[in-house]
Amino acid sequence: MKISLAWVKDYVVLKASADEIARRLTLAGLEAKTAKVEGEEAVMDVEITSNRPDWLSHIGVAREVAAVFDKKLVLPKPRTKRAVEKSSRVFRIAIENPKLCPYYSAVYLEGINNISTPEPMKRRLEAMGLRSIHFPVDVTNYVLFEMGQPLHAFDADRIQGDTIYVRPARKGEKLLAIDGRAYELISTDLVIADTSGPIALAGVMGGKSTEVDASTKNILLESAFFAPSVVRSTSRRLSLASDSSYRFERKVDPEGVNPGREQAVRRMLEHTQIGKISPVFTSGMLPASRAKISVRPEYFRKVLGISLSGAEISKILSRLGFGTKKTGPALSVSVPSFRPDVRLPVDLVEEVARIYGYDRLPETLPAQPALAEVENTLFGMLEETSRLLTGAGFDETIHFSLIHADHVTGAGWNTENLTRIINPQNKELTLMRPTLMMGLLETIQRNLNVGNFNLSLFEIGKTYGSESAGTLPDEIWHLGLAVTGKTHINWKDKGRPVTLYDLKGVIEMLGQELGISPIHFIESKSPFLSPEANLEIRVGLEPAGFLGELAGPVVQRCDIEGKVYLAELNLEIFFRHMHRKKEYVPVSKFPRVERDLALLVPKP
């Protein structure tokens, strides 16, 4: 964005050079490049961050300059004032959706003398990259760059009826905008309309039908607060950006809506004649915009490493427009409406630090007392389970939590109550997995296809329960195990085909190492397991998983050759029965000695 140095100096009495101003602003967080001359105006290029809409105006940048150089900010007081008068037209404002437009105001200016724009105003607009159009429009643009409040002037004589509707666009509506292009509108677009239809895209651009020209005598001047989301949506969808949409998207100052409108009227009165000025027509309420934060001076020392008194902190914050009041040992800070980015005490610390000067902060290491290590039992057990299985020769796998519906139904699961994705990025992956089995089978299939026939795999991950109205599905940590092919082959042992007991032994090993007992294996009837090897795993009396051989139909459907043995454990139940306490038992002083004795005993 371009900022005129002469314009800034209207509000801050400053003798610093352009280079010095740019350097100091950059150090304070507002990146500015050295000024260059645009026409007859010296301007700086500044990089506005998305969280600082207050910098999108000359008064906002002037406030920053005043704070950085510790100068007084002097806002202009327009010399000309006029009382409101009864006009020949009275407009009614009708807002259909207050969430999209909380507040809308307009004033009717009757009998305006549409003069040529004064040269000083024209030069400043040209320095901002705008050409002069017509005086009323130039004034609205001038106030936009001056105060940051977007305005729009309608030719009131071209407005049909006396009601201004602020509403979502209707199906099939179009708007011929002032850029000469016709835009097709949809229901997510917010429009300003009269009885004939849309006359402007709210916060984005006005319509051709009510455009101000050299013959305009009567003006309806709009100043409103539009929801940033609706302006951003329309601007992005239509690839239509304007200086107004740029500001509305980042949220304008709610407390600047009415002053911006009044300033435009006063600017017009300074240069031309207006027959009558109506009362302000309004609808809705401006959103609450001021927050209060309580913070102690010690907090600044803790974060910044420097000791600042409450008075020093208050002085820096007041230079930025914050209100401060001492309440006991703390400071109560009132956040100005133009700073929606400040909500937490640490935000205030940042404000103080950048104005105080990051280059003045000493290089110190933060004092951090030694803290006792706090063990996270669940994640500690997950890591230990992974370590034990890796030591037992298993390879860990990780799979997506999203699965294909056909995979679940093919294994005999009912998909009706499973958790579904409303807007899946992949149309095939629409369900949250209820089991880890699907991912393990896919990995086995992929490995068999490339010649890896001896597999011992495990996965530790979350599974997702059924959805129910108004509640989120349960997320449960599970352990999945799968083996196929032969046992480990080495130079001494040629290996043998794996069996159900290999997998059963691994589960018993986990129970022994983790202190979990008793573990029982009882017959079950899982539809995806073979009837000959189909077991339920219980810890104590609580069902905790399954173990068995993958059923033949499922093996064929997954295109897998050979036998596959699977097990899945609910780790949260598994760990619930864990007894980690181990007692030391000393070695016996009298170790057992075994002797083989043969005795000859005479018959009685």
Side-chain angles (χ1 to χ4, degrees):
M1 177 180 166
K2 294 180 179 179
I3 293 293
S4 165
L5 285 175
W7 205 340
V8 167
K9 290 182 179 180
D10 284 351
Y11 317 120
V12 185
V13 179
L14 192 64
K15 294 182 179 179
S17 66
D19 289 344
E20 179 64 10
I21 293 173
R23 186 185 71 84
R24 294 282 294 275
L25 286 178
T26 300
L27 288 176
L30 175 56
E31 185 178 349
K33 296 182 180 178
T34 306
K36 57 184 178 181
V37 177
E38 298 280 353
E40 298 182 18
E41 293 280 329
V43 299
M44 290 187 303
D45 283 324
V46 295
E47 190 69 32
I48 308 297
T49 56
S50 59
N51 66 325
R52 292 300 303 270
D54 58 305
W55 283 341
L56 293 170
S57 68
H58 280 76
I59 287 179
V61 173
R63 183 183 294 109
E64 194 74 11
V65 171
V68 168
F69 287 89
D70 195 9
K71 299 292 183 180
K72 185 177 180 180
L73 179 68
V74 181
L75 299 181
K77 295 181 179 180
R79 297 181 295 275
T80 309
K81 292 184 179 181
R82 277 274 300 274
V84 299
E85 304 168 71
K86 185 177 180 181
S87 58
S88 60
R89 291 183 72 177
V90 176
F91 288 88
R92 186 177 73 88
I93 311 298
I95 300 175
E96 288 191 9
N97 190 337
K99 290 184 179 180
L100 303 182
C101 177
Y103 179 78
Y104 189 95
S105 72
V107 62
Y108 179 53
L109 308 178
E110 186 176 353
I112 187 171
N113 184 16
N114 196 343
I115 63 170
S116 298
T117 302
E119 283 302 317
M121 182 180 292
K122 187 183 296 185
R123 285 198 300 270
R124 285 189 173 177
L125 290 176
E126 290 172 350
M128 298 300 101
L130 292 183
R131 61 180 179 84
S132 176
I133 304 174
H134 300 292
F135 175 66
V137 177
D138 290 347
V139 169
T140 62
N141 287 330
Y142 190 89
V143 172
L144 178 142
F145 286 108
E146 180 183 27
M147 301 181 66
Q149 173 60 37
L151 307 168
H152 185 69
F154 298 95
D155 188 327
D157 294 334
R158 300 181 181 182
I159 296 176
Q160 305 298 314
D162 292 330
T163 300
I164 301 297
Y165 301 94
V166 186
R167 60 170 176 79
R170 292 167 185 160
K171 186 177 180 180
E173 286 187 327
K174 294 183 179 181
L175 175 72
L176 180 61
I178 59 176
D179 63 356
R181 294 175 58 190
Y183 295 94
E184 293 186 5
L185 308 180
I186 60 176
S187 59
T188 57
D189 300 324
L190 187 67
V191 299
I192 312 301
D194 60 11
T195 56
S196 67
I199 57 176
L201 274 171
V204 181
M205 188 170 288
K208 197 75 173 176
S209 63
T210 55
E211 184 181 15
V212 171
D213 59 25
S215 64
T216 299
K217 296 298 181 185
N218 302 312
I219 290 172
L220 186 68
L221 182 64
E222 165 198 283
S223 184
F225 183 92
F226 300 116
S229 57
V230 70
V231 177
R232 186 182 305 114
S233 173
T234 297
S235 178
R236 296 293 186 275
R237 186 182 69 82
L238 299 176
S239 299
L240 180 61
S242 64
D243 290 316
S244 293
S245 67
Y246 187 71
R247 286 157 178 79
F248 276 122
E249 288 177 22
R250 287 155 180 77
K251 190 178 181 181
V252 299
D253 177 10
E255 294 186 13
V257 175
N258 290 327
R261 183 195 63 248
E262 295 167 3
Q263 181 74 338
V265 174
R266 290 168 182 163
R267 290 292 185 194
M268 290 184 190
L269 288 172
E270 287 178 0
H271 301 288
T272 190
Q273 295 179 350
I274 301 176
K276 292 181 180 180
I277 302 175
S278 75
V280 180
F281 311 115
T282 66
S283 182
M285 295 181 62
L286 287 168
S289 55
R290 289 185 177 264
K292 285 193 175 181
I293 303 173
S294 181
V295 62
R296 292 175 177 247
E298 293 81 8
Y299 181 67
F300 291 81
R301 178 192 56 77
K302 180 180 178 181
V303 177
L304 299 178
I306 58 174
S307 182
L308 294 173
S309 67
E312 291 175 303
I313 294 169
S314 296
K315 182 181 178 182
I316 292 175
L317 291 176
S318 63
R319 282 153 56 182
L320 290 167
F322 292 81
T324 58
K325 182 181 179 182
K326 188 171 177 60
T327 55
L331 286 175
S332 178
V333 181
S334 176
V335 181
S337 60
F338 53 81
R339 291 300 306 273
D341 59 307
V342 177
R343 286 294 177 265
L344 301 172
V346 71
D347 297 327
L348 297 176
V349 173
E350 181 182 3
E351 294 301 303
V352 169
R354 65 188 190 82
I355 299 302
Y356 178 83
Y358 290 120
D359 55 327
R360 296 174 59 192
L361 298 178
E363 295 181 3
T364 58
L365 293 175
Q368 179 64 51
L371 299 176
E373 183 179 354
V374 179
E375 181 183 1
N376 187 313
T377 305
L378 175 61
F379 286 99
M381 291 303 98
L382 295 177
E383 289 182 3
E384 188 167 354
T385 301
S386 177
R387 178 182 62 80
L388 290 170
L389 289 170
T390 303
F394 280 71
D395 295 312
E396 185 170 10
T397 63
I398 299 175
H399 301 98
F400 288 121
S401 298
L402 300 175
I403 59 175
H404 197 295
D406 291 346
H407 295 170
V408 184
T409 54
W413 288 74
N414 185 356
T415 62
E416 291 183 2
N417 296 324
L418 298 185
T419 302
R420 295 182 179 273
I421 304 299
I422 296 175
N423 55 342
Q425 293 183 349
N426 186 329
K427 293 182 179 180
E428 293 185 351
L429 304 179
T430 58
L431 296 178
M432 301 296 291
R433 64 185 180 188
T435 173
L436 303 180
M437 182 178 71
M438 312 305 171
L440 290 170
L441 292 178
E442 286 183 10
T443 299
I444 288 175
Q445 180 192 37
R446 191 177 304 113
N447 276 270
L448 293 178
N449 289 341
V450 296
N452 297 325
F453 302 109
N454 306 314
L455 301 169
S456 297
L457 307 175
F458 80 94
E459 179 176 7
I460 296 174
K462 285 186 176 181
T463 62
Y464 302 86
S466 302
E467 5 178 49
S468 57
T471 60
L472 295 174
D474 293 330
E475 300 182 30
I476 306 170
W477 285 99
H478 274 212
L479 166 65
L481 299 164
V483 293
T484 187
K486 293 184 178 182
T487 58
H488 294 292
I489 301 173
N490 53 49
W491 65 273
K492 185 179 180 181
D493 186 2
K494 294 183 179 180
R496 55 169 176 77
V498 294
T499 67
L500 180 71
Y501 299 102
D502 291 309
L503 205 51
K504 181 173 178 285
V506 170
I507 296 171
E508 290 175 336
M509 178 272 294
L510 286 177
Q512 182 178 357
E513 292 293 328
L514 297 175
I516 298 169
S517 63
I519 299 177
H520 303 291
F521 301 88
I522 63 175
E523 290 186 7
S524 182
K525 295 181 179 180
S526 297
F528 49 87
L529 297 180
S530 171
E532 293 78 19
N534 195 327
L535 301 174
E536 180 183 73
I537 303 171
R538 290 190 179 183
V539 181
L541 299 177
E542 196 170 4
F546 64 81
L547 166 66
E549 179 186 345
L550 193 64
V554 182
V555 171
Q556 294 176 4
R557 191 176 293 111
C558 295
D559 194 22
I560 295 175
E561 294 184 4
K563 294 185 177 182
V564 177
Y565 298 96
L566 294 169
E568 188 162 336
L569 285 167
N570 183 323
L571 289 179
E572 296 182 20
I573 294 176
F574 206 58
F575 295 151
R576 196 183 302 151
H577 293 265
M578 182 171 55
H579 304 285
R580 298 291 288 173
K581 186 177 180 180
K582 295 183 179 180
E583 295 182 358
Y584 170 72
V585 179
V587 179
S588 174
K589 294 180 180 180
F590 307 101
R592 184 177 64 180
V593 177
E594 294 184 0
R595 293 174 183 252
D596 186 6
L597 299 176
L599 301 175
L600 293 175
V601 179
K603 290 183 178 181

